């Protein structure tokens, strides 16, 4: 199976035209297969404990532990709206739904690029940017997934983000930045309020073919990632994490049972201060 469709330039030179759209079905089938296999595997290990809450910490944290700031939640749902709009406007015509899709597609893409730029700046200046990247301390989680603990042994606790979240984020970064870079370049191919249309200012025929191919391949990969992301969001054991993206907090027992406060990062929740005795300063 070819990744791209090849053709010839007006001068007869062999060039890449665009991505092979049949790969969309492969991406969706791969995502569906992953969902089915994971659901069967997770069902077999559903009884694995998350780890007992250390008694000394049980009363040290508030009942609702802050996880996502208001700004982080707004970015997430704005990005979700942009991604769904981009996928719908990109692939609906491929399924025979004809409409003027270029305008909504360009607008959603421009908003997404701006949101990504803001997110990068916000993460660097206001968040613990290293908390989302895989580190050697995460590998016990992978070992526990491949070789589940026996005899009631506790599963290893994660930092702020479980390893699965970090790996998904890594894939989303690669796909998202590819789409943002190629989509921005493609603005010179259409009439928009952002730049003056000049198809040959940036690339020649061969270069544009590579841009189109990368954009299409990343878009199809994104469709598969969305399926996987939604699947994990609705799984019962992941719902406290999903809920935190709506309300900003998670339950204290879930936090202490599944996360290690020492690995939460610099923006982690602070333990409650002990109550002062009567008459103390």
């Amino acid at each position: 199976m070819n990744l791209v469709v090849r053709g010839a330039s007006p001068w007869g030179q062999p060039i890449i035209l665009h991505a092979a759209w049949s790969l969309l079905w492969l991406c969706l089938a791969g995502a569906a297969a992953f969902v089915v296999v994971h659901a069967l595997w997770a069902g077999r290990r559903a009884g694995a404990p998350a780890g007992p809450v250390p008694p000394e910490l049980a009363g040290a944290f508030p009942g609702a532990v802050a996880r996502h700031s208001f700004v982080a939640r707004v970015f997430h749902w704005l990005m979700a709206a942009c991604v769904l709009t981009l996928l719908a406007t990109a692939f609906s015509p491929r399924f025979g739904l004809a409409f003027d899709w270029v305008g909504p597609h360009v607008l959603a893409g421009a908003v997404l690029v701006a949101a990504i730029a803001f997110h990068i700046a916000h993460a660097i200046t206001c968040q613990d940017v290293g908390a989302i990247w895989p580190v050697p301390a995460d590998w016990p989680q992978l070992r526990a997934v491949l070789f589940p603990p026996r005899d009631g042994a506790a599963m290893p606790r994660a930092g702020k983000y479980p390893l699965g979240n970090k790996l998904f984020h890594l894939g989303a970064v690669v796909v998202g930045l590819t789409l943002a870079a190629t989509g921005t370049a493609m603005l010179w191919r259409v009439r928009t309020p952002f730049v003056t249309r000049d198809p040959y200012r940036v690339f020649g025929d061969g270069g544009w073919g590579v841009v189109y191919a990368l954009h299409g391949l990343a878009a199809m990969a994104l469709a598969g990632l969305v399926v996987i992301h939604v699947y994990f969001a609705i799984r019962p054991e992941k719902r406290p994490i999903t809920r935190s993206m709506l309300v900003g907090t998670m339950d204290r027992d879930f936090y202490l049972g599944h996360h290690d406060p020492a690995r939460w990062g610099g923006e982690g929740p602070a333990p409650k201060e002990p109550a002062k005795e009567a008459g103390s300063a």
Side-chain angles (χ1 to χ4, degrees):
M1 179 179 292
N2 294 324
L3 297 179
V4 298
V5 173
R6 298 179 182 274
S9 71
W11 297 272
Q13 299 171 327
I15 60 172
I16 294 174
L17 297 178
H18 54 75
W21 296 115
S22 58
L23 292 175
L24 175 62
W25 301 111
L26 182 62
C27 291
L28 294 177
F34 175 88
V35 167
V36 171
V37 171
H38 183 274
L40 295 174
W41 171 82
R44 295 182 59 184
R45 61 180 293 273
V53 176
E56 65 275 12
L57 292 179
F61 290 87
V65 175
R67 176 178 172 85
H68 295 297
S69 67
F70 176 75
V71 172
R73 284 177 281 147
V74 169
F75 164 75
H76 178 273
W77 294 111
L78 177 63
M79 181 179 65
C82 290
V83 165
L84 293 178
T85 301
L86 288 167
L87 291 177
T89 53
F91 294 123
S92 292
R94 297 286 167 185
F95 294 106
L97 182 59
F99 64 99
D100 186 9
W101 61 271
V102 176
H105 191 83
V106 171
L107 178 61
V111 173
L112 180 61
V113 171
I116 291 174
F118 170 81
H119 174 65
I120 293 173
H122 180 259
I124 293 174
T125 58
C126 302
Q127 296 180 305
D128 181 8
V129 69
I132 192 62
W133 301 104
V135 294
D138 294 319
W139 300 138
Q141 296 178 64
L142 179 60
R143 192 184 312 116
V145 168
L146 299 176
F147 308 101
R150 299 181 179 180
D151 302 325
M155 295 287 287
R157 294 185 182 87
K160 183 176 183 179
Y161 300 101
L163 180 59
N165 288 85
K166 293 183 176 186
L167 295 177
F168 178 87
H169 175 265
L170 187 61
V173 166
V174 173
V175 170
L177 291 181
T178 300
L179 286 170
T182 55
T184 300
M186 288 163 62
L187 290 177
W188 274 271
R189 298 283 290 183
V190 295
R191 290 183 175 87
T192 70
F194 304 107
V195 296
T196 301
R197 183 176 183 269
D198 189 352
Y200 294 99
R201 180 178 179 180
V202 183
F203 300 107
D205 289 321
W208 280 119
V210 174
V211 170
Y212 281 132
L214 289 175
H215 197 76
L217 292 172
M220 290 183 282
L222 180 62
L225 286 176
V226 168
V227 172
I228 294 172
H229 186 60
V230 171
Y231 162 72
F232 278 110
I234 63 177
R235 281 200 60 84
E237 72 274 13
K238 302 296 184 182
R239 288 175 189 168
I241 297 178
T242 303
R243 182 177 180 275
S244 72
M245 188 53 76
L246 293 169
V247 301
T249 61
M250 60 172 44
D251 180 75
R252 174 182 57 201
D253 291 339
F254 182 88
Y255 164 69
L256 293 175
H258 293 77
H259 299 275
D260 182 356
R263 295 188 55 219
W264 190 272
E267 55 177 329
K272 294 188 298 183
E273 293 184 2
K276 295 182 179 179
E277 297 181 3
S280 62

